[in-house]
Amino acid sequence: MAPIAFIIGTVWPEPRSSAAGQHLLSLLSELKQLGYIIHFASTAQRSENSEGLDELGCVVHEIVLNDSSFDQLIAQLQPEIAVFDRFMIEEQFSWRIKKVAPNTCLILDTEDFHSLRYLRHQIVKKHPEQAVDIPSLLEINAGPGPFQGCLNSDFAVREIASMWRCDINLIISQAEVALLHTYYGLPKNILHYCPFLMANDGAELGTPRAIDKRKDFVFIGNYRHAPNWDAVQILAKHLWPLIRKQLPQAKCRIYGAYTPEKAQQFHNPKQGLLISGWAKDAQATIQEARVHLVPLRFGAGLKGKIFDSLRVGTPCVGSDIAWEGISTDVTAHSLLTLNDYENFAEQAVALYADEDKWLTEQVKGQQILENDFVYTTHSAALKNKIQTVTQDLNTHRAPLFMQKMLEQTQYRATRFMSQWIEAKQTIEQLRDADLPPETD
């Protein structure tokens, strides 16, 4: 009988709304190719943008927190692997799986390094003049000042502990692999570099649209993701006025899923700034534009919007955070000072107006994909990692003393808290059942 892969999602995947949704579906596809029967579960409500997983051949389960019915489901299925979509899901469910299916290989799909993104956000809010790339963060963390020891936050402790408890951690950025190994000391055998699993061959993507078939600027990003909302504000308040001054006929179209009402304050057709709502096809939308603006001031992981641009041949002007983990062979900007905004705008105008420069950047983007993000290479590496670990899980776990120690401490604390909540809910249900019916 085929082995079972049990995936627990933070939400039901929305591949048309976020890169995280695309990445999770790509992972499901890889597991199906390995011969797994896919079971997908989530505690979240499905939205109108959720992918129809049952239509893709997955068995779906709606589960609840702090309920032993989950234990019964896992005990019955005995999955060979369990995949947690972000570390918060691992905290809630891994102890239950370990209890009833101890030989299940636990895989954490990190999506990105959440505590790193949160830390950068805090620094941007409190010290907007402070650079927040990884090298500068290591200096800030070690030196005197308000952010000394910032990489050791309670949030980071939770996330790193979650990674230790898992047998494989899928890390989407090489920059984060390096940080996790060199600073946090996670062993390389539980870290697996797994970028976006996208086919980049010309047969699928076709010939990129020529520059004379494109117009205007574009930004695209899910508004529920804090870095994107911040980028929209930076673009509207600081960058677009500088760009529009030099290109008075140009427009910038800002797209995003879950556009909030507050975003409409920036809709200004007279100045060429258009809040355009949700894009049904992100790649097609980006391909219509001449230049993609990606002014992210904080974030983590890889940026799906950058990859979409590279795949459809739309040159980007992005921040250093936007390009992190993708390429160092680009002109990136920290977006900390007025001078940075002016440099960003100058680069955007030059790229828009200079066809030779535009073509050079388009070719450079294709080379990045062809050199560093070959689908077949990363697909084979992922499959080999999963097969190697699952074939001899005990040998893989034997030297991981920290894994066992964390199961005894914080891991058990999470377990007992969950059991206490479940018991409390049961008592309340029994009490309510004993109450006499209400009368008028």
Side-chain angles (χ1 to χ4, degrees):
M1 184 175 178
I4 289 173
F6 195 92
I7 293 87
I8 310 175
T10 305
V11 296
W12 297 88
E14 297 184 10
R16 292 164 294 179
S17 301
S18 71
Q22 295 175 18
H23 188 55
L24 186 55
L25 280 187
S26 296
L27 180 57
L28 298 188
S29 176
E30 298 298 311
L31 294 176
K32 288 188 70 174
Q33 292 174 32
L34 277 173
Y36 284 99
I37 298 173
I38 307 297
H39 288 248
F40 188 94
S42 179
T43 62
Q45 297 290 320
R46 301 195 201 198
S47 77
E48 60 182 11
N49 297 325
S50 299
E51 188 74 11
L53 293 175
D54 39 9
E55 298 174 5
L56 299 177
C58 301
V59 182
V60 298
H61 307 270
E62 295 181 359
I63 55 176
V64 295
L65 290 171
N66 307 309
D67 195 292
S68 57
S69 60
F70 178 85
D71 307 19
Q72 297 165 10
L73 175 62
I74 296 297
Q76 177 184 356
L77 294 176
Q78 291 295 314
E80 181 171 86
I81 65 173
V83 181
F84 308 108
D85 172 37
R86 301 175 175 83
F87 82 92
M88 296 76 79
I89 297 298
E90 183 278 333
E91 288 181 325
Q92 294 163 344
F93 292 102
S94 70
W95 66 268
R96 292 183 177 275
I97 295 175
K98 273 285 186 84
K99 181 177 68 172
V100 298
N103 294 320
T104 297
C105 175
L106 304 182
I107 301 176
L108 176 59
D109 183 22
T110 59
E111 296 289 357
D112 64 27
F113 193 0
H114 298 274
S115 58
L116 175 63
R117 183 182 71 242
Y118 176 79
L119 170 60
R120 285 169 161 166
H121 192 182
Q122 298 309 303
I123 293 176
V124 164
K125 289 194 294 186
K126 296 177 182 179
H127 293 266
E129 76 288 352
Q130 179 67 65
V132 290
D133 59 2
I134 285 178
S136 67
L137 272 178
L138 290 169
E139 295 174 4
I140 295 169
N141 179 74
F147 292 102
Q148 185 177 39
C150 58
L151 289 170
N152 306 334
S153 68
D154 290 344
F155 195 172
V157 169
R158 282 180 56 198
E159 190 166 16
I160 297 301
S162 176
M163 293 181 186
W164 266 109
R165 289 192 294 266
C166 290
D167 302 302
I168 304 173
N169 293 275
L170 304 182
I171 312 299
I172 202 168
S173 165
Q174 285 279 33
E176 292 173 10
V177 171
L179 180 63
L180 290 166
H181 177 64
T182 59
Y183 181 79
Y184 290 104
L186 286 160
K188 288 187 176 180
N189 69 324
I190 68 170
L191 299 175
H192 181 77
Y193 173 51
C194 182
F196 294 127
L197 298 166
M198 299 177 180
N200 300 317
D201 57 276
E204 178 185 329
L205 301 177
T207 303
R209 184 178 298 185
I211 188 172
D212 60 353
K213 303 295 184 181
R214 300 167 179 261
K215 62 179 181 178
D216 301 329
F217 296 85
V218 70
F219 172 83
I220 189 167
N222 189 323
Y223 280 93
R224 289 182 175 177
H225 194 51
N228 290 330
W229 170 235
D230 179 78
V232 168
Q233 296 176 77
I234 292 297
L235 177 55
K237 294 177 182 179
H238 301 289
L239 299 175
W240 185 245
L242 295 171
I243 296 171
R244 176 77 172 189
K245 185 177 180 179
Q246 298 185 62
L247 296 171
Q249 302 305 314
K251 295 181 176 62
C252 180
R253 304 176 190 278
I254 298 177
Y255 293 89
Y258 304 105
T259 304
E261 186 65 31
K262 60 185 177 181
Q264 295 303 319
Q265 65 182 293
F266 301 124
H267 184 68
N268 189 344
K270 290 185 179 181
Q271 293 300 314
L273 191 62
L274 307 173
I275 303 298
S276 302
W278 180 59
K280 293 183 179 180
D281 187 328
Q283 290 184 17
T285 298
I286 292 172
Q287 187 168 217
E288 292 175 357
R290 185 175 293 187
V291 174
H292 191 182
L293 303 175
V294 192
L296 299 177
R297 294 196 299 166
F298 61 95
L302 297 183
K303 313 306 179 292
K305 54 179 65 66
I306 294 280
F307 271 85
D308 284 340
S309 278
L310 299 182
R311 297 180 86 220
V312 300
T314 303
C316 295
V317 181
S319 63
D320 47 5
I321 296 297
W323 284 101
E324 184 180 87
I326 299 175
S327 176
T328 57
D329 186 27
V330 293
T331 301
H333 308 267
S334 57
L335 297 176
L336 301 174
T337 67
L338 179 60
N339 187 52
D340 291 329
Y341 296 139
E342 291 175 347
N343 289 338
F344 191 104
E346 288 291 340
Q347 180 73 10
V349 170
L351 191 57
Y352 192 90
D354 187 332
E355 182 173 356
D356 289 340
K357 182 178 179 62
W358 190 91
L359 290 170
T360 297
E361 292 300 310
Q362 185 185 68
V363 170
K364 188 184 296 183
Q366 294 299 307
Q367 290 173 341
I368 290 171
L369 293 179
E370 293 170 3
N371 294 338
D372 301 323
F373 298 98
V374 178
Y375 165 72
T376 52
T377 299
H378 294 295
S379 172
L382 173 62
K383 292 169 182 172
N384 180 66
K385 181 67 174 180
I386 292 173
Q387 289 175 321
T388 300
V389 173
T390 54
Q391 284 172 2
D392 197 348
L393 188 58
N394 290 333
T395 299
H396 175 78
R397 287 175 173 174
L400 300 177
F401 177 78
M402 185 69 76
Q403 185 182 80
K404 297 295 294 183
M405 186 173 71
L406 287 170
E407 291 175 11
Q408 289 290 113
T409 54
Q410 182 178 349
Y411 172 71
R412 286 196 171 182
T414 303
R415 168 185 170 184
F416 294 140
M417 174 60 74
S418 180
Q419 289 178 328
W420 177 82
I421 293 172
E422 182 180 359
K424 184 173 180 289
Q425 292 172 341
T426 300
I427 291 170
E428 290 175 350
Q429 292 170 357
L430 292 173
R431 182 195 62 195
D432 292 343
D434 289 338
L435 291 176
E438 292 185 4
T439 57
D440 294 334

